[in-house]
Amino acid sequence: MTDTTAVPPAALPAHLRNPVTQAMVRVQNRIVRAARDHLTEQGFTELMPPIIGPVTDPGGRGSKQIDIDFYGHRYKLMTSAILYKQASLLAFDKIFCVAPNVRLEPLETANTSRHLVEFHQLDVEIAGASRHEAMGVAQDVVVRAVAEVAGEMSDELGLLGRDPRAFAALLKNDAPFDRTTHADAVAHLARLGHDQDPGAEIDWEGEALLSAQADRPFFITDYPKGSRGFYDREDTDRPGVLCNYDLIAPEGYGELMSGSEREHDYARIIARMRETGENPAKYAWYLDMVRDGIPASAGFGIGLERLTRYVAGLDAVWQATPFPKTPGVVSA
């Protein structure tokens, strides 16, 4: 898994004609269909998310937002559907969407094999849910998608060079995915000789080290307060600890998903915004809605291209999209 070469505009026709790309697209189609089928069967409603708005998720890890002129107003391309997912719960208790996202990732992420500027997330939000309930939904979605691909797409997996036996531990064990706290992950990385900042997200190298030691996906929970956005709920019984989680793929593929219980109290959101350096005035429509009352919830976003890369066994995430946009590369 070392190929991070992007697709320049002149090479796009060859990328699209490549049988590997075509097999990947068919696998990705099946992943999306399996997720849609499962969530619909569980009573979720699919919504079409916006791609522009007056404000978006502030993001992190050095990524930047893209401004556009919207009839004389400065609007944003969506970096995440999180604010609109919370809004959607005013109408439906359980929602999902396949949401497009655009983030100007820092140039150093071009070498991680896991970052795109333009990508999609399978976004889910559940009113009144705990994070443990949301984590269960995420596991069920991933297991069903992998099971359908492994069980019914042997031709595509053969063309991709992906041995279905790689999923044996995932599919034969119906126990919940393993869970480790952020603090325990930091301690484990220290034993491996990796110096991980205990107050920050697990860095790319550390995440890859943990991922490489697993044979099935696992969750990392309880990230420190300063490492995530204002919408991740702080644990009232453990100040400084967030009620959130990431899902990490095995075999070195790294993070597939982030999620959390959501902060929904107006005063606490304002406080968290200020703590993270955000200007509450930018979020007027969102804060007006929160003041009027939104449901408590939990949810997550699964990176569709990252999940495709893992299932298809691809070297780099740019291979998991027909029209790749990678950090620092001007492409078609």
Side-chain angles (χ1 to χ4, degrees), residues 147-161:
E148 291 196 10
V149 172
E152 302 178 30
M153 303 196 75
S154 57
D155 289 347
E156 285 78 7
L157 292 176
L159 197 153
L160 291 161

Side-chain angles (χ1 to χ4, degrees), residues 138-148 170-171 173 177 216:
Q139 175 169 340
D140 290 345
V141 167
V142 170
V143 169
R144 176 150 177 183
V146 170
E148 291 196 10
L170 188 159
L171 296 176
N173 183 354
F177 291 159
R216 69 197 299 253

Side-chain angles (χ1 to χ4, degrees), residues 35-76:
R36 279 195 167 110
D37 287 349
H38 176 75
L39 292 168
T40 300
E41 289 164 10
Q42 297 301 312
F44 285 78
T45 299
E46 182 174 5
L47 299 181
M48 299 295 106
I51 59 173
I52 62 171
V55 71
T56 186
D57 174 1
R61 296 199 185 196
S63 65
K64 296 180 180 179
Q65 301 170 0
I66 297 179
D67 293 338
I68 64 167
D69 183 338
F70 187 64
Y71 300 106
H73 297 270
R74 179 179 291 180
Y75 268 48
K76 306 285 186 182

